[in-house]
Amino acid sequence: MADLKAFAEQLVNLTVKEVNELAQILKDEYGIEPAAAAVAVAGPAADAAPVAEEKTTFDVILKEAGGSKLAVVKLVKDLTGLGLKEAKDLVDGAPKELKAGVAKDEAEALKKQLEEAGAVVEIK
């Protein structure tokens, strides 16, 4: 049992180069293909697509006021801190950005509020 623990210790401490060499020996000598997880330890393939970063900020876009324009204007006024005339102008000029660079949860909450008021909203 001590020999297996020592062997396991050696395997754990292999360098990336040594892992690649071991994988090649297992393939050539014994026909054993390494598991995908073992290959991943060696590093990404040269032709692998880069991993896209998860988006963290979003823009809330008012597409149109919908059927209840007055309710949407009042809500836009409250959400943006604009005056009533400026909020009406913003709604009339849709599609318009209402908020930029907000967190996903906030963007979804704003979208839900605006859609409940009758607006058509998009999150980008």
Side-chain angles (χ1 to χ4, degrees):
M1 187 66 152
D3 290 338
L4 286 177
K5 285 185 180 183
F7 179 65
E9 182 77 22
Q10 287 178 321
L11 287 175
V12 170
N13 291 316
L14 290 176
T15 65
V16 171
K17 181 180 177 188
E18 290 170 329
V19 169
N20 285 334
E21 289 173 5
L22 176 60
Q24 192 63 47
I25 291 168
L26 290 172
K27 181 179 176 185
D28 293 344
E29 297 292 322
Y30 304 101
I32 298 172
E33 292 284 335
V39 172
V41 171
D47 60 348
V51 177
E53 288 187 34
E54 185 174 338
K55 189 171 179 179
T56 58
T57 59
F58 298 85
D59 300 334
V60 179
I61 311 295
L62 175 67
K63 299 291 280 180
E64 63 181 73
S68 187
K69 183 177 173 182
L70 182 58
V72 173
V73 169
K74 287 181 180 179
L75 184 56
V76 167
K77 177 187 174 293
D78 292 342
L79 292 174
T80 61
L82 295 171
L84 191 57
K85 181 183 179 339
E86 291 84 7
K88 180 187 175 298
D89 291 344
L90 192 148
V91 172
D92 286 343
K96 287 284 188 180
E97 181 179 279
L98 292 180
K99 291 232 177 180
V102 296
K104 183 177 182 179
D105 292 343
E106 182 181 356
E108 289 174 349
L110 290 171
K111 181 178 186 221
K112 182 178 178 185
Q113 281 183 291
L114 288 159
E115 286 177 341
E116 286 174 353
V120 178
V121 181
E122 177 182 15
I123 298 176
K124 287 189 173 183

